[in-house]
Amino acid sequence: MQNNPDNRSQDRQPKQRDAFFDNAKYLAIVLVAVAHSWEPLKGDSRILQGAYMIVYAFHMPAFIVISGFFSRSFDARPDRLKRLVTGVAVPYILFETAYPLFKRVVDHAPDQEISLLDPWYLTWFLCALFIWRLTTPIWNLVRWPLPLALGVAALASVTPNIGDDLDLQRVLQFLPFFVLGLCLKPEHFRLVRRRSVRILSVPVFAFALAFGWWAVPRMNVAWLYHRDSAQQLGAPWWAGPVMQLALFGCSLLLTACFFSWVPGRKMWFTALGAGTLYGYLLHGFLVKAGEYRGWFDHAWLHRPLGEILVSVLAAAAVTLLCTPPVQRVFRFAMEPKMAWAFKRDAAELAREREKKEQGAQNGQSVRDKVGV
């Protein structure tokens, strides 16, 4: 994630990470992993299905809002474009290739296709983040960015011809959360972390869980994935904008409640917030391996104690995948330097020359003082 420097001199200074955002990212990625581990089990439990729906309503929106917040300063500066390529585009290409290859080997599916145009499983988020961040200057320019983004999402929900390329339905339907993050300021996050909001979030979550249990046989959970139009879900066209706005409101409320319970101080897991991309992209191999190898087929796992055990194991696994040792091993894929691939930035070269000249002047000044 990027911070929001006001000028280039600040951009060169060390930036202190905000514990709140690292805590929020870590807790959100734990919810992502746990929800993915519930997918093979939820069919046998209405309670688990209801909890799954509620978690899916806010875990990715929370992550996307934070991504938007830290993209506010993105522009076409060469150094930022380089980070976008090395930190988003390159991991997308690598993991979009790795997941199908993994299925070929582990699931014995030699015919599994590899396509960079059809995001596979988790990689849609990288594709979406690349597109969203590239469009950031536009959203920072227009007068009413959030209503415009909601309009785009509503139109996407009634346009089945968009197709599956680059998972554009998800890109466009989740867009309002990213744009909302661009519009937020630090004080907005402080508002939702007040004690009163924290207290009110308890009955809100309780009602949401009860509503999720009620909605299981009445609502298509695919609405929460935001990857299909209304027509593709067998609903009339007008249901698309209605559900889009309703789900945006519900997701926003639950996201605010989630943020209200995120600690603002340093915790034992705060440092793991810097490695959430590692946990996000790597935990999918464990979940898919379990599906391919039938690990979730054991009957005892489909009982309450088994579901709790799977949830705990998923949380523990994604926690380990966010740790510094794992980051060091996989940094070549997640954060490659790739200096060989880019031209040197003229501004960077000028700064280096300035430093050398300043160093030479300082050296000459010292020699003059000692009479050398």
Side-chain angles (χ1 to χ4, degrees):
M1 297 286 185
Q2 301 181 75
N3 283 328
N4 188 30
D6 294 326
N7 53 52
R8 296 190 179 187
S9 63
Q10 287 179 329
D11 203 26
R12 296 195 297 271
Q13 297 174 356
K15 306 182 185 78
Q16 185 176 0
R17 299 183 69 93
D18 189 320
F20 167 77
F21 291 107
D22 279 336
N23 292 339
K25 288 191 294 179
Y26 166 76
L27 294 174
I29 207 63
V30 167
L31 289 175
V32 169
V34 170
H36 285 155
S37 73
W38 287 349
E39 288 180 359
L41 307 176
K42 63 184 176 65
D44 298 321
S45 170
R46 183 170 175 176
I47 294 177
L48 191 62
Q49 289 183 66
Y52 175 88
M53 291 177 68
I54 298 307
V55 171
Y56 251 80
F58 75 89
H59 69 349
M60 285 310 297
F63 217 87
I64 294 168
V65 166
I66 295 175
S67 298
F69 179 75
F70 282 101
S71 297
R72 292 172 300 160
S73 63
F74 182 84
D75 53 27
R77 263 176 46 183
D79 58 332
R80 288 178 177 149
L81 288 174
K82 288 178 185 177
R83 286 198 294 270
L84 181 62
V85 171
T86 58
V88 180
V90 171
Y92 172 75
I93 294 171
L94 292 177
F95 281 86
E96 181 66 8
T97 304
Y99 269 110
L101 290 176
F102 184 75
K103 180 175 176 62
R104 286 186 183 186
V105 175
V106 179
D107 198 30
H108 306 294
D111 296 332
Q112 175 63 45
E113 294 183 354
I114 299 175
S115 172
L116 296 181
L117 294 179
D118 187 11
W120 209 86
Y121 194 36
L122 303 173
T123 58
W124 73 268
F125 177 70
L126 292 178
C127 179
L129 184 59
F130 185 85
I131 296 172
W132 293 334
R133 198 164 281 176
L134 278 181
T135 62
T136 293
I138 298 175
W139 301 111
N140 287 335
L141 179 66
V142 298
R143 191 182 297 272
W144 300 290
L146 185 56
L148 180 58
L150 285 169
V152 170
L155 288 174
S157 70
V158 298
T159 313
N161 293 331
I162 288 178
D164 296 327
D165 288 350
L166 299 179
D167 226 346
L168 283 179
Q169 279 287 359
R170 269 181 169 168
V171 173
L172 298 177
Q173 291 192 34
F174 273 114
L175 173 65
F177 296 103
F178 182 81
V179 174
L180 174 64
L182 293 175
C183 298
L184 292 179
K185 297 179 180 179
E187 51 265 33
H188 295 130
F189 290 95
R190 288 194 290 269
L191 283 175
V192 299
R193 291 159 58 194
R194 292 179 300 177
R195 178 181 173 83
S196 58
V197 179
R198 192 175 300 118
I199 293 173
L200 286 173
S201 69
V202 176
V204 170
F205 267 123
F207 175 80
L209 289 171
F211 180 82
W213 182 87
W214 174 86
V216 166
R218 297 173 174 85
M219 176 180 168
N220 187 347
V221 70
W223 283 108
L224 298 171
Y225 302 148
H226 295 287
R227 65 186 180 200
D228 299 297
S229 66
Q231 297 92 323
Q232 291 170 309
L233 295 176
W237 70 267
W238 54 263
V242 171
M243 288 296 292
Q244 188 68 35
L245 293 175
L247 288 175
F248 179 78
C250 292
S251 297
L252 187 57
L253 176 62
L254 292 175
T255 297
C257 292
F258 167 72
F259 284 149
S260 74
W261 279 96
V262 172
R265 64 186 184 280
K266 283 191 175 182
M267 308 290 289
W268 65 267
F269 53 79
T270 300
L272 302 179
T276 49
L277 182 63
Y278 293 79
Y280 177 78
L281 290 174
L282 294 174
H283 87 273
F285 291 105
L286 298 178
V287 175
K288 286 301 180 183
E291 292 181 5
Y292 300 154
R293 293 302 189 183
W295 298 346
F296 296 102
D297 295 339
H298 299 286
W300 64 274
L301 289 178
H302 294 254
R303 299 168 187 159
L305 288 179
E307 294 164 356
I308 293 173
L309 176 62
V310 169
S311 302
V312 171
L313 290 176
V318 78
T319 297
L320 290 174
L321 293 174
C322 293
T323 56
V326 175
Q327 293 180 44
R328 286 193 292 270
V329 172
F330 289 96
R331 185 163 285 126
F332 75 95
M334 309 285 195
E335 302 174 85
K337 297 295 184 182
M338 294 183 62
W340 54 268
F342 301 104
K343 296 179 180 178
R344 298 292 300 276
D345 180 17
E348 182 182 352
L349 291 173
R351 287 195 294 268
E352 288 184 2
R353 286 195 298 269
E354 182 181 348
K355 287 180 181 180
K356 290 180 180 179
E357 292 173 359
Q358 186 66 36
Q361 291 175 3
N362 292 338
Q364 183 61 46
S365 176
V366 171
R367 288 192 294 271
D368 292 342
K369 287 180 180 179
V370 299
V372 177

